[in-house]
Amino acid sequence: MTYSVFNPEPSIPVVANVPHASSAIPDEVRDQFIISDQQLHEEQRLLVDWFTDELYAPIQRAGGCIVRHGVSRFVLDPERFEDDSQEVMAARGMGALYTHGCHRQEIRRQLSAAEREVMLAKYYRPYHAELISRVSKTIERFGRCFVIDCHSYP
């Protein structure tokens, strides 16, 4: 699964979105990256939202639901628009599928349209569907839902 849900039956009307906590890069996509493991590790060091699981754990303990993306934002960033023409960060190589790193250097080979579609179908759309489902179920149950977008900051 490309995401995790914690406390799927919340007792309070809160859904937390944790999109960038993971540093996981599945073996089947590692060959898309044209940088060394060390360079990729450095990119991850700079952009993963480290410790967001711990920072936002009180939401779950208080009874809220947490939806956590399961792969690194370098694999796919679920907080970008799926369509690069709508995503301002795509011009910097940081659309839904990152092609460039923190210093605007190329980090990923050009993906075919079919490869891009596979990535979106596997890592983007299921996460969004789950998040939308959790918010909808929370609204049905409580009549409202407070969504918290969970990040960490340097």
Side-chain angles (χ1 to χ4, degrees), residues 23-106:
S23 61
I25 297 179
D27 291 339
E28 67 264 17
V29 300
R30 178 59 180 97
D31 71 329
Q32 295 177 0
F33 295 92
I34 59 173
I35 58 177
S36 70
D37 288 343
Q38 182 179 352
Q39 290 167 317
L40 189 52
H41 177 74
E42 179 60 17
E43 291 294 318
Q44 297 257 56
R45 187 185 69 75
L46 295 170
L47 281 187
V48 169
D49 279 349
W50 299 106
F51 306 110
T52 47
D53 293 332
E54 291 89 352
L55 283 170
Y56 296 98
I59 292 170
Q60 181 181 351
R61 288 195 298 270
C65 175
I66 294 177
V67 182
R68 181 185 187 273
H69 199 243
V71 296
S72 170
R73 70 194 313 175
F74 286 99
V75 173
L76 184 133
D77 191 334
E79 287 209 311
R80 303 292 197 229
F81 286 110
E82 179 176 338
D83 180 352
D84 279 346
S85 71
Q86 296 179 344
E87 177 55 59
V88 68
M89 289 301 290
R92 296 182 60 97
M94 292 180 152
L97 294 162
Y98 285 25
T99 59
H100 289 73
C102 297
H103 304 290
R104 300 190 82 174
Q105 78 283 20
E106 194 172 3

